[in-house]
Amino acid sequence: MPSSSADQTLAIRVVDSMERMSGRHPGYRRSSARGASFRATFTPTGEAAALTTAAHLQTRAVWATVRFSNSEGDPRTPDTAPVTRGMATRFHLHDGSDTDLVALTVPRFVASTPREFLELTEALAPDRLTGEPDPARVHAFVGAHPHLAEAVAQQPPIPVSYGSTAYWAIHAFIWVDEAGVSRPVRYRWEPEAGRTALTAAEAATRTAHYLTDELHQRLEHAPVAFDLRIQLAEPDDPTHDPSTLWPDHRKEITAGRLEITAPADDQDPWNMQAFNPTRVTSGIRLSDDPVLAFRAHAYAESHRRRSRNQ
Ligand code: HEM
């Protein structure tokens, strides 16, 4: 991906602003600070093979590593909070390379451009007097960007389990087939166990780390599985705006099944790793979504800081 110094400068501003919003927690990711990593196998169904040459979407199963996280930048945020959760997956391909798929428990992103995201994080910074975000500033942000009203109003579920909620990779990606024909797609992980959520009152009875504890317990009895569902675009579906959805009735296929089997042997290397949604493989290209391209810069900046224990 071409790297522009303007993007890098903006990434520094965005990560600074994320730190003002969530506090600075040395050594932690500036978003999705607290998480846990797991071993998995991904088995393609073959349904995607006619649409992309991507190696992990053909016929052979690959190893994968999955990091589930609480999306807040403050690692002390309890699992009982009504916030989004993350699922970052790294597919380890047979040629020794990797490709990542990074997803959240909401289908839309809260900004259409990196600058809008910067403005939103600035609006969410805690007020000096109350220590809480000022709802009037968020209201003003939405007033100035009415197209983001639905995305900002999304209520993520408080899942019963990391294994009982859906995760969306949100952006459009472009699949390229053997003949060079390209087609925009969107990804969703659909839990085999079905989607189940807690009410706020039920969540209040759970512990601060119940989601990680629950997944460890669940894996002692059986693997936890997800289907990789793919939504296929029709010719005029926009690919540049992660705050919008394609119609529900767009054709979907199941590209494969992910089976999570056990906690990763060693959590430390995975805590140090940086997932990167722009790390695609041959047969998959980035769309024209400016937020997708920008994420590579923001994640690198966060990784640079936390690698120095800042
Ligand atoms: C302007 C847009 C965005 C910015 C600036 C941003 C920023 C960040 C940063 C700084 C990190 C920590 C990276 C690290 O230290 O390794 C992160 C992690 C993460 N982000 Fe984003 N993000 C954006 C959009 C999104 C979107 C659209 C999604 C979902 C599709 C998403 C899902 C995640 C997840 C799941 C993680 C945790 C990855 C892990 O486990 O390592 N983010 N984000």
Side-chain angles (χ1 to χ4, degrees):
M1 196 189 62
S3 151
S4 95
S5 69
D7 278 338
Q8 282 163 7
T9 306
L10 186 59
I12 291 170
R13 286 182 65 192
V14 166
V15 174
D16 284 346
S17 182
M18 292 170 81
E19 289 180 356
R20 281 194 291 276
M21 183 176 69
S22 307
R24 179 186 279 203
H25 305 283
Y28 285 95
R29 286 163 172 74
R30 269 37 181 185
S31 173
S32 296
R34 184 168 56 79
S37 300
F38 296 85
R39 267 191 284 144
T41 315
F42 178 77
T43 309
T45 57
E47 277 184 57
L51 302 175
T52 169
T53 56
H56 58 307
L57 301 176
Q58 305 303 305
T59 50
R60 279 177 81 187
V62 295
W63 293 110
T65 306
V66 179
R67 181 174 182 268
F68 288 106
S69 56
N70 183 305
S71 69
E72 294 296 287
D74 184 342
R76 297 164 304 183
T77 307
D79 286 345
T80 51
V83 297
T84 50
R85 325 285 155 162
M87 177 180 178
T89 305
R90 178 160 296 171
F91 301 90
H92 307 290
L93 308 184
H94 292 289
D95 68 359
S97 66
D98 297 312
T99 182
D100 292 350
L101 188 61
V102 184
L104 288 175
T105 50
V106 285
R108 297 169 185 264
F109 192 54
V110 289
S112 307
T113 64
R115 280 198 177 271
E116 285 177 352
F117 185 68
L118 175 63
E119 283 178 49
L120 179 58
T121 54
E122 285 169 347
L124 285 167
D127 182 85
R128 281 209 178 86
L129 290 178
T130 63
E132 296 291 329
D134 177 355
R137 295 183 63 194
V138 179
H139 196 71
F141 171 82
V142 174
H145 306 285
H147 66 285
L148 298 174
E150 273 185 77
V152 173
Q154 288 174 118
Q155 298 287 332
I158 307 178
V160 168
S161 166
Y162 273 135
S164 73
T165 189
Y167 299 82
W168 287 260
I170 298 182
H171 309 284
F173 289 83
I174 311 296
W175 277 6
V176 185
D177 71 14
E178 208 154 14
V181 175
S182 59
R183 175 194 275 273
V185 299
R186 279 176 157 167
Y187 301 80
R188 180 178 85 251
W189 289 113
E190 196 59 58
E192 207 165 76
R195 301 186 196 180
T196 49
L198 301 174
T199 62
E202 287 167 337
T205 67
R206 306 291 163 118
T207 57
H209 293 183
Y210 80 89
L211 282 174
T212 314
D213 296 343
E214 193 276 347
L215 192 52
H216 283 114
Q217 282 160 18
R218 200 179 270 242
L219 289 172
E220 280 171 19
H221 303 289
V224 168
F226 290 85
D227 279 341
L228 183 56
R229 299 283 297 164
I230 306 297
Q231 195 185 24
L232 306 175
E234 292 289 330
D236 289 330
D237 288 338
T239 52
H240 65 283
D241 187 349
S243 73
T244 60
L245 303 179
W246 294 339
D248 271 350
H249 55 268
R250 288 287 176 265
K251 186 178 175 198
E252 286 193 1
I253 61 169
T254 301
R257 179 174 181 272
L258 183 76
E259 199 174 84
I260 298 167
T261 48
D265 292 334
D266 190 349
Q267 295 291 321
D268 289 344
W270 288 104
N271 280 334
M272 288 311 298
Q273 275 289 337
F275 289 86
N276 175 354
T278 67
R279 187 188 285 126
V280 289
T281 191
S282 178
I284 304 176
R285 292 203 324 256
L286 304 184
S287 64
D288 55 352
D289 180 337
V291 175
L292 175 56
F294 177 73
R295 286 174 67 192
H297 299 282
Y299 289 41
E301 178 61 21
S302 169
H303 185 247
R304 192 181 64 75
R305 294 184 192 191
R306 63 187 172 85
S307 303
R308 297 174 182 176
N309 208 29
Q310 291 174 349

